[in-house]
């Protein structure tokens, strides 16, 4: 690496950052934002969405990476400062310490680093709705565009891991003391109360609880990647092909759950009827998925009914 000391090995992060910058230049984009999140806004991520770690070398569970054509910065809170300083050494990435009370300091950094009327890319499929709104507002003063339709990492990360393929299995009594049918009935009561005809869920813990299913897509967490759509009578589980065997699929069908491809969730949202009323939790759905919902559909924002329901213990 030009300018590096002869006895200092080239950091893999430096090479990866330059690869990302090549993509940014080719797309005429000024900056890339890489949050620590996946399409389900989980705290612990499958390898496919550990792009911030792959790109920077920082292995902490939380942090945000921003890359411009000239600079790169990792934003981390005080839990990770010592670790980040060690892991970022030689990478050319600056550690920006998040001060108490200002978790959105990366928004100010981007607004200052990106030129007026420039553009910032972030994968909308892993960007939370609330985060997208805050980012748009922060960039608006300089008329900076937010580009959420392209996954820059997909081009810069040639050996990116595939989606996990671990099988989904049933969570059975006595551990599952309430049937999935009864749980769906609880959610539908809340849907009726809010006037919603449909409810869309992306959070993997809510889906595992609602469906009485478990998996192994995330290390040390018995969850699986899926989205779930409910209406007044039916439910569709969007899950990877082959993850649910035929016997379990038949059991789910008997309980009113239809299986669909994992990638079809966005298309299902786009196909909602014009008179639909969609219940979503704005803190638990991504900007990219909600952007697929037709403008004619009324969106009701409220806490996922399952979040409150699963916090209550049964006698069992």
């Amino acid at each position: 690496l030009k300018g590096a000391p002869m006895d200092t090995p080239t950091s893999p992060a430096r090479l990866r950052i330059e690869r990302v910058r090549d993509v940014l230049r080719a797309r005429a984009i000024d900056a890339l934002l890489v949050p620590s999140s996946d399409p389900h806004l989980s705290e612990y991520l499958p390898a496919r969405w550990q792009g911030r770690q792959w790109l920077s070398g920082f292995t902490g569970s939380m942090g945000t990476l921003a890359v411009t054509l000239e600079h790169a910065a990792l934003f981390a809170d005080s839990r990770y400062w010592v670790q980040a300083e060690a892991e970022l050494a030689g990478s050319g990435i600056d550690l920006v310490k998040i001060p108490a009370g200002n978790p959105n300091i990366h928004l100010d950094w981007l607004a200052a680093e990106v030129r007026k009327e420039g553009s910032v890319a972030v994968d909308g499929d892993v960007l939370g709705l609330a985060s997208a709104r805050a980012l748009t507002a922060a960039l608006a003063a300089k008329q900076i565009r937010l580009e959420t339709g392209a996954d820059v990492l997909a081009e810069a990360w040639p050996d990116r891991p595939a989606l996990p393929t671990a099988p989904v299995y049933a969570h059975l009594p006595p551990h599952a003391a309430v049937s999935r049918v009864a749980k769906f009935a609880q959610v539908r009561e809340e849907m009726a109360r809010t006037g919603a005809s449909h409810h869309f869920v992306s959070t993997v813990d809510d889906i595992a609880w609602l469906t009485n299913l478990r998996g192994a897509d995330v290390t040390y967490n018995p969850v699986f990647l899926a989205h779930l759509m409910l209406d007044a009578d039916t439910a569709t589980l969007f899950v990877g092909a082959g993850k649910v065997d035929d016997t379990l699929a038949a059991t789910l069908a008997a309980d009113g759950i239809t299986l669909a491809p994992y990638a079809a969730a966005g298309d299902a949202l786009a196909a909602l009827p014009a008179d639909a009323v969609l219940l979503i939790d704005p803190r638990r759905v991504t900007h990219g998925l909600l952007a697929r919902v037709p403008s004619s559909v009324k969106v009701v924002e409220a806490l996922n009914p399952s979040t409150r329901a699963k916090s209550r213990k049964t006698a069992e």
Side-chain angles (χ1 to χ4, degrees):
L1 180 69
K2 184 178 180 180
M6 293 300 293
D7 59 349
T8 301
T10 299
S11 166
R14 281 187 179 269
L15 302 178
R16 292 168 180 172
I17 292 287
E18 286 307 316
R19 195 179 301 161
V20 163
R21 285 177 173 143
D22 288 342
V23 177
L24 293 178
R25 292 185 188 99
R27 289 175 169 263
I29 294 172
D30 296 283
L32 171 68
L33 184 68
V34 187
S36 298
S37 63
D38 67 3
H40 310 276
L41 303 180
S42 303
E43 181 176 1
Y44 302 104
L45 310 179
R48 180 170 181 79
W49 287 290
Q50 291 180 9
R52 185 265 301 152
Q53 177 176 326
W54 172 82
L55 190 51
S56 69
F58 170 63
T59 61
S61 61
M62 297 297 292
T64 300
L65 178 67
V67 179
T68 71
L69 298 178
E70 287 100 24
H71 302 109
L74 177 86
F75 303 83
D77 65 42
S78 59
R79 293 172 295 171
Y80 302 103
W81 291 348
V82 173
Q83 175 186 351
E85 286 175 346
E87 292 181 337
L88 295 177
S91 69
I93 302 170
D94 296 326
L95 170 62
V96 178
K97 298 178 177 180
I98 300 175
N102 187 10
N104 291 327
I105 190 173
H106 63 285
L107 304 182
D108 300 332
W109 187 93
L110 278 170
E113 289 287 331
V114 177
R115 63 186 175 87
K116 185 177 180 180
E117 299 182 352
S119 58
V120 173
V122 58
D123 181 3
D125 286 340
V126 303
L127 181 65
L129 181 60
S131 297
R133 290 169 176 170
L135 183 55
T136 300
L139 300 180
K142 287 181 63 177
Q143 301 171 33
I144 299 171
R145 300 187 316 279
L146 182 61
E147 305 278 356
T148 60
D151 184 0
V152 172
L153 283 180
E155 296 184 46
W157 192 356
D159 54 349
R160 187 177 188 176
L163 289 169
T165 58
V168 172
Y169 57 93
H171 187 56
L172 300 169
H175 307 294
V178 181
S179 72
R180 61 178 67 93
V181 172
K183 291 175 177 179
F184 282 7
Q186 284 182 270
V187 172
R188 288 183 172 119
E189 287 179 8
E190 185 65 17
M191 289 169 58
R193 191 189 68 78
T194 61
S197 61
H198 295 75
H199 176 41
F200 185 77
V201 188
S202 283
T203 35
V204 292
D205 54 323
D206 287 300
I207 293 171
W209 183 84
L210 274 169
T211 60
N212 284 345
L213 299 173
R214 298 293 187 268
D217 287 348
V218 181
T219 306
Y220 309 123
N221 290 263
V223 295
F224 58 98
L225 302 186
H227 302 282
L228 182 68
M229 178 91 82
L230 285 82
D231 61 24
D233 303 303
T234 65
T236 303
L237 182 67
F238 302 91
V239 65
K243 292 174 70 68
V244 178
D245 65 33
D246 292 343
T247 301
L248 181 53
T251 300
L252 295 175
D255 287 339
I257 302 175
T258 300
L259 301 182
Y262 175 77
D267 292 338
L269 287 169
L272 284 171
D275 59 349
V277 179
L278 178 66
L279 172 63
I280 59 100
D281 187 334
R283 295 173 297 177
R284 294 174 171 85
V285 69
T286 66
H287 169 81
L289 278 170
L290 195 62
R292 301 294 303 277
V293 176
S295 58
S296 60
V297 171
K298 179 181 178 181
V299 176
V300 176
E301 297 186 4
L303 185 73
N304 279 339
S306 50
T307 301
R308 184 175 292 108
K310 70 185 176 65
S311 72
R312 296 171 177 156
K313 300 297 184 183
T314 64
E316 293 82 1

